[in-house]
Amino acid sequence: MNFRIDSHKLMFHPQRVANWLFKGDTYPIYAEISPSGACNQRCIFCALDFMGYQKRFLDADILKKRFKDMAHNGLKSIMFGGEGEPFLNPRFTEIVKSAFDAGLDIGITTNGSFLNEPQRIIPYCKWIKISVDAGTKSTYAKIHGIKPEWFDKIIYNIAKAVCIKKDKDLKCSLGIQAILMPENSSEMELLALMAKNIGVDYLVIKPYSQHPLSGKHVNTNNILTNRDHALAVSDDKFKVIWRDNALSKIDKKREYSECLAMPFWTYIDAGGNVWGCSNFLGDERFKYGNIYEKSLTEIWDNRQKIDFNLNECRMACRMDECNRYLWELKYPGPHVNFI
């Protein structure tokens, strides 16, 4: 059960990487799409708080049309998440099914509060990841900005999803996610035990990464954790994924001097705007177009090269590992022919 969550997967797309390497460009493999700008929680770690939690929702009919174009031209996967809670879009299940029908792999990141009818969504997904971030009600409430009783509701929804997955023998991977902070660092073993008892496939624990535009600031200095005890909860059926690789790169110098991964993915916000990077939402330099006006293919083929300073970027971003891989391909070291 190797999900490569703390690594990258570009090596599984050699033809696309070759197109980029020798032709200078490629159609995206992966897209992150935000079906909803609104959110029913106010997490202290939210990176996209600067978007304002706008009550806007992507139109399902437009997406149905665009998904066919995306899949036809080489998009492989979509992660529904983004600046809001995706399940708040009133037609979200319909959106997911239409993406699945177009032949796209689907993943969802959610807070789980609306995962009360999982049988309607799980059959179409490769994975669903629920942000829990705590092992107790009080800590969960503090981190997620809601009442403590929500914790039991979320755990119930996850357990129900696990039962449906097992009863119907569905292949969707169900996981729980935690961002490591001083508020929750002592509860990771407890959360791991809870996740294992519920029956999810994994718990992933990752670092907090400060978004340069976010008004949220989490002090992550001197976090003391029971890491080894949490990892020891793993067994053949359940995995604790402690993102040591990502944690080791926070505030460290990058090993590349330009972002090479941008052609391989894109971000579509809840207003239909297509962006080159989610780190720069609202920065017109990174806005390629809008799917209400044109297909992703038209937008992609006519986008302009973006010039920016890598120092403006977020540390340990999602594309960091891809960039390290692509940088070494483009600028190989000595003796590479001695395989």
Side-chain angles (χ1 to χ4, degrees):
M1 189 170 59
N2 185 4
F3 297 112
R4 298 186 67 86
I5 289 176
D6 204 22
S7 184
H8 74 93
K9 300 162 193 168
L10 275 181
M11 77 285 289
F12 299 110
H13 304 275
Q15 187 59 56
R16 302 292 280 278
V17 173
N19 287 343
W20 164 82
L21 187 61
F22 297 111
K23 298 180 181 179
D25 199 12
T26 186
Y27 195 78
I29 296 171
Y30 161 79
E32 182 174 329
I33 297 180
S34 181
S36 167
C39 191
N40 59 331
Q41 298 190 356
R42 291 294 181 270
C43 301
I44 63 173
F45 60 80
C46 181
L48 299 183
D49 57 302
F50 65 91
M51 298 291 286
Y53 309 109
Q54 303 170 61
K55 195 175 181 179
R56 58 179 184 172
F57 308 102
L58 279 175
D59 183 83
D61 295 324
I62 288 291
L63 285 175
K64 285 181 185 179
K65 182 178 179 181
R66 299 309 186 209
F67 288 153
K68 294 177 182 177
D69 164 77
M70 293 175 188
H72 177 74
N73 286 284
L75 192 76
K76 299 292 186 183
S77 65
I78 292 174
M79 191 276 276
F80 291 110
E83 69 251 39
E85 167 52 45
F87 280 89
L88 281 173
N89 187 308
R91 298 176 68 184
F92 183 55
T93 300
E94 186 181 346
I95 289 169
V96 171
K97 184 179 184 302
S98 64
F100 173 84
D101 289 341
L104 295 162
D105 289 349
I106 309 302
I108 300 172
T109 298
T110 172
N111 61 38
S113 55
F114 294 99
L115 194 61
N116 55 326
E117 294 185 280
Q119 70 277 7
R120 298 179 59 202
I121 206 87
I122 293 178
Y124 307 115
C125 298
K126 293 291 186 182
W127 57 265
I128 299 174
K129 192 184 301 176
I130 303 96
S131 296
V132 178
D133 303 291
T136 63
K137 292 182 182 181
S138 58
T139 302
Y140 179 84
K142 181 178 180 180
I143 290 174
H144 284 253
I146 38 79
K147 295 180 180 179
E149 52 263 33
W150 279 51
F151 185 74
D152 290 335
K153 175 184 177 181
I154 303 303
I155 298 303
Y156 174 81
N157 286 349
I158 299 171
K160 185 177 179 181
V162 170
C163 288
I164 289 171
K165 172 190 171 177
K166 291 181 178 179
D167 289 346
K168 296 184 179 296
D169 194 26
L170 300 172
K171 302 304 180 185
C172 174
S173 297
L174 298 174
I176 288 175
Q177 176 172 282
I179 293 179
L180 194 62
M181 298 172 284
E183 289 82 357
N184 65 10
S185 61
S186 65
E187 298 183 7
M188 291 300 99
E189 181 185 7
L190 181 60
L191 180 58
L193 289 167
M194 185 182 305
K196 182 178 181 178
N197 289 334
I198 292 170
V200 297
D201 297 294
Y202 64 88
L203 164 67
V204 59
I205 300 165
K206 68 178 187 178
Y208 170 78
S209 176
Q210 178 66 45
H211 194 293
L213 298 177
S214 175
K216 304 289 181 72
H217 296 276
V218 176
N219 182 5
T220 57
N221 294 328
N222 301 317
I223 291 180
L224 300 176
T225 71
N226 47 7
R227 173 186 177 278
D228 291 341
H229 289 166
L231 288 172
V233 177
S234 298
D235 61 20
D236 292 341
K237 295 182 178 179
F238 172 75
K239 181 75 171 176
V240 175
I241 303 168
W242 199 287
R243 293 193 58 185
D244 289 311
N245 191 25
L247 282 160
S248 70
K249 293 183 291 189
I250 294 295
D251 297 326
K252 297 286 181 65
K253 184 178 179 181
R254 295 181 182 87
E255 296 178 3
Y256 48 91
S257 59
E258 60 180 308
C259 182
L260 302 175
M262 288 176 66
F264 292 91
W265 83 294
T266 191
Y267 181 97
I268 301 175
D269 69 22
N273 298 304
V274 180
W275 300 92
C277 178
S278 61
N279 191 64
F280 296 97
L281 299 179
D283 187 332
E284 291 295 318
R285 291 177 299 168
F286 291 81
K287 182 179 174 181
Y288 293 149
N290 191 291
I291 61 168
Y292 286 94
E293 300 167 0
K294 295 179 180 179
S295 70
L296 180 61
T297 301
E298 291 175 294
I299 293 170
W300 206 256
D301 288 345
N302 292 284
R303 75 195 195 284
Q304 301 296 313
K305 179 177 171 57
I306 303 170
D307 292 317
F308 67 103
N309 190 326
L310 210 61
N311 291 329
E312 302 175 60
C313 291
R314 188 178 182 178
M315 295 304 298
C317 80
R318 181 173 294 150
M319 291 296 119
D320 180 75
E321 282 297 311
C322 291
N323 268 314
R324 291 168 183 265
Y325 173 70
L326 294 170
W327 183 263
E328 193 169 8
L329 281 178
K330 189 173 181 179
Y331 305 105
H335 309 162
V336 296
N337 292 330
F338 293 88
I339 59 173

